[in-house]
Amino acid sequence: MKLDSKIPDGPLAEKWTNYKASQDLVNPANKRKIDIIVVGTGLAGAGAAASLGELGFNVKIFCIQDSPRRAHSIAAQGGINATKNYPNDGDSIYRLFYDTVKGGDYRAREANVYRLAEVSSNIIDQCVAQGVPFARDYGGLLDNRSFGGAQVSRTFYARGQTGQQLLLGAYGALSKEIHKGSVELFTRREMLDLVVIDGKARGIITRNLINGKLEKYFGHAVVIATGGYGNAFFLSTMAMTSNGSAAWQVYKKGAFFGNPNFTQIHPTCIPVHGDYQSKLTLMSESLRNDGRIWVPKNKEDAEKIQKGELKPGGIKEEDRDYYLERRYPAFGNLVPRDVASRAAKERCDAGYGVGSTGLAVYLDFADAIKRLGKNVIEARYGNLFQMYEKIVDENPYETPMMIYPAIHYTMGGIWVDYELQTTIPGLFAAGEANFSDHGANRLGASALMQGLSDGYFVLPYTLQNYLADQIQVARIPTDHPEFEKTEKEITERQEKLMAVKGSQSVDGIHKKLGRIMWEYVGMGRNQEGLEKAIGMIRELRAEFWKDVRIPGRIDELNIELDKAMRVADFLELGELMAKDALDRKESCGGHFREEYQTPEGEALRDDENFTFVSAWEYQGDDKEPILHKEPLIYENIEVKQRDYK
Amino acid sequence: MDLTLKIWRQENAQARGKFETYKVTGISEDASFLEMLDILNESMVDKVQLPIAFDHDCREGICGMCSLYINGRPHGPDQGITVCQMHMRNFKDGSTIVIEPWRAKPFPVIKDLMIDRSAFDLIIQAGGYVSVHTGGVPDANSIPIKKEHAELAMDAAACIGCGACVATCKNASAMLFVSAKVSQMALLPQGKIEAARRVQKMVAEMDDLGFGNCTNTYACEAECPKDIKISNIARMNWQFLIAKVGAQKMNA
């Protein structure tokens, strides 16, 4: 199979306009005859379902939680980028496009990123019209801030709850369509497989998480908007039910997986405190606007702090190492996430880390409080400081915060073309679930932008282009042999899991996987470690299928079985992530191969050999997947080494 | 820490439930309350028993999925946080903790500590939005909004839809939840256009679903993890009155 990214002809700035002008549409009478399945109710899923319902399609939308309002988009704190240029500081579509491609370390597709920047302004208009209460100035107009190293202020925000407010806006739009009857909502359902008939995506099978029953649903097209797979690491900032299973199941049905190793590690999370820990909490990146990051200059001081013999206040100014300001004087504490994360790991690995584990660095607000006053800091970060104090039991106004990097986002995902269609006709992927816009590293405040762009402004067009020649296809009854066959396969898989009756809990094995992933497929990767990880994951997978213990029955609410199905998939996906990391013999963005670095320890790309998207094609459980390469062609941007010094 | 837990167990919506007693030992003060329950559940899986079902997801206090009475209080003893944000240092070593699902007629128990809050979705579906469709909207800055109004709207919009207000109210009233959405929209010019219609539809849906009325005990405000103010209820009542008077005028 040949990869075709279907990038429209013409100059970059005209591609999307040209596409829309020449694409096929479905007339209103025919829209009623078409069913669309959307899996996931985050920004991408809810946005798409609402917009498609408005157009007159019949939409079925599914979420794993008890309400669509709880999708994990809700947890995004910082903001959403858009090229409004309201502050008059020189922003433009091209500049956001440029920053996103550069931030992604030149591993994203030009045309997709340009379209993202192009529709970003519409997103803000849409959200404001929905009643999203963005921050405003005293003149009543929208306020912006600079975020995550951008040199312009293009980030719109709603206190520290931007994701929540955007999601509630999309949830409102979705609720409106549910009320109207154009969208049907299914909650507490988990997609377990895709149904493919005659080579096209035609439906899904879900598990009803309340009664354990399998349910079959037909759709002329299926949209996967199930988010990222960061929980392969067990500990991450993702929600507990965030999983990679929908993406993994469609991969096994023939959709290619793009850049699986590209994982973002967020530099400002609350450090791990114990083995029982279930998730990591992010402290918004906006804190780096005013906080200064440091560790002790002397190892003896760091050791004393780790033992609890010394407090950070006891270390004199000249004995502190503000390592980001030292290494990157131009950007200082505002370097991109991957750079900040690696720098923290480097200091901690060298023995300068703080906290009882030595796996933490300080984020200090003392100077900012002195300069701006406690009131200003409280107004900016009050809720974050309060959250920190609740978790850590320390007051960040008086003692520096401790932070450490954590898994936060997966840039990789289901491979899609310009239309967000996967390699299975009729199957689309949107938001974090696809691989398309962030290259090897995502910029702050760009995830929300991409989710809403895909949902509100891309899929309603591109899906129609596909559906235009599906109007003759009658609804396929769910007793079709392919539905029955797929359902039987799931039942067998569940029965096989229940029959293991081993001695280890699902979480116990998931934690083991997480440790392998964090150690060898985390911030620093090398050939030896990755090869070792692949072997270890294979062994762990065998152990899982021999020794997992799941109490209860299949046909009832069974949390352990739900988790086991997800972990079974993570145990396969983890291996592909390691394999992809091993194959990519360069460092780029979030992917840092220790063998490929400059003498100063900075990431070293290999543009000559690796300017491509890795798209993996499944061949069978015990067979090696095939790697397809989608070349990345930069016609509108000069490829440079990232330099934040 | 060593603790005794009295936890509500209920097979399904129809079954009768009862309290079961469990012991947990060696719990760290730094563990979150839900991590303490994870540890208990792990020990039950070890004994091939069905673990306790409880709702949770983001574990950072924003998704609104977690929902427990802890010693009789929604989201437990601390103010301004959800269960998932509460840490064990809020409890004394050796103490007994009673854990129950939220009890309100419109929130039936699904199993153990899990409840069905789809009634909240139905109220929002009845009108908790601005009826605009995707595309064709004006430029964001063409609608200036007074900062004070935007801030008040944001205060109300911070609601996470957890249902603690209903759980703590002796009348199982959803007024704080409904008024938060009504207020957010009524404070903004975009939402004002259909304010009358919205408040009437949402209140009617709330009543139909069996939520009780407000008798001004302020318990909802005290237990709300996001500090949603009761003044929103006053604003909703005002909106409701205006809508009613407006309708009478139209009919006259």
Side-chain angles (χ1 to χ4, degrees), chain B:
Chain B
M1 298 168 81
D2 299 343
L3 300 158
T4 304
L5 307 171
K6 286 190 189 302
I7 301 180
W8 184 262
R9 300 298 308 259
Q10 184 173 333
E11 181 74 26
N12 55 47
Q14 289 76 38
R16 275 181 78 91
K18 62 174 193 306
F19 281 106
E20 298 273 1
T21 304
Y22 303 90
K23 301 257 183 211
V24 286
T25 54
I27 301 291
S28 160
E29 286 197 337
D30 292 330
S32 75
F33 195 83
L34 296 185
E35 284 165 354
M36 184 274 294
L37 286 181
D38 290 343
I39 292 168
L40 172 64
N41 272 348
E42 279 288 287
S43 72
M44 295 175 71
V45 173
D46 277 346
K47 291 180 224 146
V48 206
Q49 291 169 354
L50 269 184
I52 296 150
F54 61 92
D55 272 324
H56 62 101
D57 199 27
C58 77
R59 296 210 177 185
E60 50 185 285
I62 193 75
C63 78
M65 189 123 177
C66 57
S67 56
L68 301 174
Y69 284 122
I70 300 167
N71 294 336
R73 291 187 61 185
H75 293 305
D78 208 351
Q79 295 289 125
I81 53 169
T82 55
V83 171
C84 65
Q85 293 174 294
M86 191 169 51
H87 285 70
M88 294 312 294
R89 64 181 83 92
N90 286 295
F91 298 90
K92 285 203 183 82
D93 188 18
S95 59
T96 298
I97 304 175
V98 182
I99 308 168
E100 296 164 83
W102 289 354
R103 299 183 193 280
K105 204 174 88 193
F107 290 169
V109 172
I110 293 170
K111 183 180 180 170
D112 298 340
L113 304 170
M114 280 168 98
I115 52 163
D116 178 358
R117 281 167 291 187
S118 46
F120 269 13
D121 285 333
L122 294 175
I123 295 174
I124 297 292
Q125 285 161 22
Y129 39 77
V130 179
S131 300
V132 291
H133 63 85
T134 304
V137 297
D139 181 86
N141 258 353
S142 67
I143 319 168
I145 299 174
K146 242 180 147 168
K147 187 176 168 72
E148 292 82 355
H149 288 173
E151 293 292 325
L152 275 175
M154 181 62 217
D155 288 344
C159 169
I160 55 173
C162 66
C165 47
V166 174
T168 194
C169 177
K170 66 189 172 83
N171 308 320
S173 171
M175 293 279 269
L176 192 68
F177 169 76
V178 180
S179 69
K181 190 48 76 179
V182 166
S183 286
Q184 177 199 344
M185 296 304 184
L187 282 159
L188 301 171
Q190 305 92 301
K192 272 195 180 125
I193 293 155
E194 50 188 331
R197 197 164 150 254
R198 176 181 308 111
V199 68
Q200 288 178 307
K201 287 195 158 193
M202 289 180 78
V203 168
E205 184 71 29
M206 169 181 86
D207 290 345
D208 282 353
L209 288 163
F211 290 100
N213 213 333
C214 172
T215 48
N216 292 307
T217 66
Y218 287 46
C220 53
E221 183 181 285
E223 293 294 9
C224 175
K226 296 293 154 186
D227 293 325
I228 307 290
K229 297 289 175 237
I230 202 152
S231 52
N232 288 303
I233 297 183
R235 194 176 290 112
M236 177 170 82
N237 287 338
W238 173 239
Q239 290 289 329
F240 190 76
L241 196 68
I242 298 174
K244 211 159 183 180
V245 172
Q248 279 165 356
K249 264 191 194 160
M250 296 260 274
N251 292 336

Side-chain angles (χ1 to χ4, degrees), chain A residues 337-592:
Chain A
R337 292 174 173 179
D338 56 325
V339 178
S341 295
R342 273 199 302 279
K345 181 180 179 343
E346 188 276 327
R347 283 292 82 192
C348 293
D349 287 352
Y352 296 91
V354 297
S356 57
T357 57
L359 291 174
V361 298
Y362 288 128
L363 177 62
D364 199 334
F365 291 87
D367 284 352
I369 291 172
K370 224 180 280 165
R371 189 177 74 240
L372 303 163
K374 194 183 160 191
N375 290 347
V376 175
I377 294 301
E378 195 171 353
R380 280 185 196 168
Y381 312 110
N383 57 340
L384 294 169
F385 278 31
Q386 184 207 5
M387 180 166 89
Y388 181 85
E389 191 172 356
K390 291 279 182 202
I391 294 174
V392 183
D393 205 20
E394 281 182 355
N395 180 351
Y397 294 102
E398 286 159 14
T399 184
M401 275 184 182
M402 284 187 290
I403 53 165
Y404 199 64
I407 298 291
H408 178 58
Y409 187 90
T410 47
M411 284 74 69
I414 307 166
W415 185 90
V416 290
D417 59 22
Y418 187 74
E419 298 185 298
L420 305 185
Q421 188 162 211
T422 69
T423 47
I424 300 175
L427 180 71
F428 294 74
E432 191 180 350
N434 74 31
F435 88 102
S436 78
D437 294 356
H438 306 295
N441 175 52
R442 179 176 63 75
L443 290 182
S446 283
L448 301 179
M449 173 173 66
Q450 188 221 337
L452 288 179
S453 156
D454 289 359
Y456 287 142
F457 297 112
V458 180
L459 281 177
Y461 291 89
T462 60
L463 256 171
Q464 281 200 64
N465 194 40
Y466 170 76
L467 291 168
D469 69 357
Q470 299 295 309
I471 50 176
Q472 304 295 343
V473 179
R475 294 189 169 100
I476 299 172
T478 54
D479 58 3
H480 183 283
E482 276 304 320
F483 272 97
E484 303 278 346
K485 188 177 138 237
T486 310
E487 183 185 30
K488 195 162 157 264
E489 284 163 7
I490 298 171
T491 305
E492 284 168 6
R493 190 172 150 88
Q494 290 184 330
E495 281 167 356
K496 194 176 159 198
L497 271 173
M498 296 301 291
V500 175
K501 295 190 192 307
S503 66
Q504 296 185 59
S505 72
V506 176
D507 280 357
I509 294 174
H510 195 175
K511 282 180 189 176
K512 284 185 186 173
L513 173 66
R515 280 193 283 268
I516 298 170
M517 297 297 292
W518 182 245
E519 185 65 28
Y520 302 108
V521 199
M523 264 184 288
R525 302 153 168 188
N526 59 56
Q527 182 175 341
E528 193 193 338
L530 289 165
E531 282 167 352
K532 193 171 166 190
I534 291 169
M536 288 170 83
I537 295 168
R538 283 183 186 160
E539 277 168 35
L540 187 63
R541 194 161 65 225
E543 194 178 316
F544 173 83
W545 283 98
K546 262 202 307 255
D547 197 31
V548 71
R549 169 181 286 181
I550 306 165
R553 304 190 316 267
I554 293 174
D555 60 345
E556 65 178 342
L557 189 155
N558 191 333
I559 306 152
E560 292 299 307
L561 176 59
D562 299 340
K563 287 194 291 190
M565 301 283 284
R566 295 169 202 153
V567 172
D569 291 333
F570 279 138
L571 283 162
E572 296 176 8
L573 173 54
E575 182 181 335
L576 186 68
M577 291 166 76
K579 209 170 263 170
D580 184 46
L582 183 62
D583 181 78
R584 191 167 280 276
K585 295 180 182 62
E586 64 161 349
S587 295
C588 60
H591 172 59
F592 189 73

